[in-house]
Amino acid sequence: MKRRLLMLSLALSAMTLTAAADTPKTAPYTLPGTAVRVLPPTAAGRHYTLSLHLPASFGKTPGRRYPVLYITDAYWDFPLVAAAYGNLVYDRVVPEFIIVGLGYAGASPDVDTLRMWDLTPVPMRGEQAETGHADEFLDLIEKTVFPLVEREYRGDPAQRYIAGSSLGGLFVLHAMYARPQLFQGYIAASPAVVVGGDWIIGRAKAFAASGRPLNARLYVTGAEHEWPGFLAGIQRYQAVLPELKQPGLVFESRTIDGERHAGTKAESFTRGLRFVFAPLAPEQGPSRD
């Protein structure tokens, strides 16, 4: 009996080795047309990367400049937006544009801690030491990232856009009020409005009261099944937008039905891109086969 079991074990091992030898070798899948660029460390010793997606025509039109979409949390959301890009361009509902994902360098960065530092405009309760540095992150984007993208990848300085989700969405809204000259369009997917006790709503009211125009397009979403308190904050912001009658601001608000916090990203970004890029979209024609 023992001999039969030994022979069976050897036969199974041989079959396994044969199957492994017959399995085709594969390579990791990478997104076509993308690359990752590591930035030099900042003066404060922080390490960032840029995930880049260039238009198909980039190498064929050396004198052409392109609109640029900057997106926070590249390690999560850059692949999502890059995957949706081709469909939107094919349908001619957006122009060709460059995608620049903002992320962190290193083998396994603690993105949860790092993003709280960069994406929050005010300290979060219980996390004061690690939050509230959004203006420093805006400095990096304005003084380091913009010049690089516009010098080496022909980004159009007159056509910059920014998108982000959750804390990234809060950062998008903060950028709009803090430095409205930087971007022409904003996509805030499920923004964390509740940070700082609806601080961003107070910022919006103060900006409107200043009488300054805000020449931009803004798309703001929440998810139907967000945490109730979190969604309530988004809805308060969405409700105040028409009340402010902000000169120059064209906006659209939406609640993504059936989704929770992270699940809203795909529809939020896709519809948001169509909205913010609408003035630059190619002339519409019949659908292609």
Side-chain angles (χ1 to χ4, degrees):
M1 183 67 177
K2 290 182 178 180
R3 179 178 176 80
R4 290 176 62 188
L5 289 174
L6 176 61
M7 295 300 293
L8 178 60
S9 176
L10 291 172
L12 290 174
S13 297
M15 291 171 62
T16 301
L17 290 171
T18 300
D22 292 341
T23 301
K25 293 183 178 180
T26 59
Y29 180 79
T30 57
L31 284 173
T34 64
V36 176
R37 181 158 181 167
V38 179
L39 298 180
T42 68
R46 297 179 67 80
H47 302 266
Y48 296 92
T49 62
L50 302 180
S51 299
L52 297 153
H53 181 279
L54 301 177
S57 66
F58 185 82
K60 304 171 187 176
T61 54
R64 181 178 174 183
R65 286 193 170 271
Y66 293 87
V68 184
L69 174 76
Y70 296 88
I71 185 161
T72 66
D73 297 314
Y75 30 85
W76 299 327
D77 297 338
F78 174 80
L80 179 65
V81 174
Y85 169 88
N87 297 332
L88 296 172
V89 170
Y90 181 87
D91 282 345
R92 294 182 287 178
V93 294
V94 300
E96 285 191 300
F97 60 90
I98 297 167
I99 305 170
V100 178
L102 305 165
Y104 302 105
S108 54
D110 182 358
V111 297
D112 289 326
T113 298
L114 292 167
R115 68 191 294 269
M116 282 199 302
W117 178 282
D118 284 326
L119 301 179
T120 49
V122 290
M124 293 174 63
R125 184 178 302 173
E127 302 284 352
Q128 285 87 346
E130 302 297 332
T131 56
H133 301 273
D135 286 320
E136 296 171 27
F137 194 43
L138 269 176
D139 282 341
L140 174 79
I141 294 171
E142 181 179 7
K143 299 174 183 178
T144 300
V145 178
F146 284 172
L148 186 152
V149 171
E150 291 161 12
R151 179 181 66 249
E152 300 191 23
Y153 300 99
R154 305 200 308 272
D156 185 349
Q159 296 293 340
R160 304 180 187 132
Y161 301 80
I162 187 167
S165 174
S166 194
L167 287 180
L170 175 63
F171 178 79
V172 165
L173 296 178
H174 172 62
M176 183 172 69
Y177 297 118
R179 305 186 196 183
Q181 75 281 5
L182 296 186
F183 300 98
Q184 286 66 53
Y186 304 82
I187 304 170
S190 291
V193 172
V194 294
V195 167
D198 288 359
W199 178 87
I200 197 66
I201 294 179
R203 188 72 184 86
K205 291 178 177 178
F207 191 95
S210 73
R212 297 169 60 193
L214 188 51
N215 298 314
R217 297 177 70 84
L218 168 66
Y219 191 80
V220 186
T221 67
E224 181 183 10
H225 300 306
E226 299 264 13
W227 307 287
F230 193 95
L231 177 59
I234 296 170
Q235 291 172 332
R236 287 191 293 272
Y237 179 76
Q238 290 174 324
V240 83
L241 281 172
E243 296 174 1
L244 295 178
K245 297 180 172 57
Q246 176 65 60
L249 181 63
V250 180
F251 64 88
E252 184 173 314
S253 297
R254 184 181 178 90
T255 299
I256 308 300
D257 60 286
E259 294 294 349
R260 297 185 181 181
H261 183 63
T264 189
K265 290 181 181 183
E267 188 168 351
S268 296
F269 289 143
T270 299
R271 291 185 177 274
L273 289 169
R274 293 181 61 147
F275 180 78
V276 300
F277 280 119
L280 301 181
E283 183 178 351
Q284 294 300 296
S287 298
R288 304 176 185 179
D289 294 332

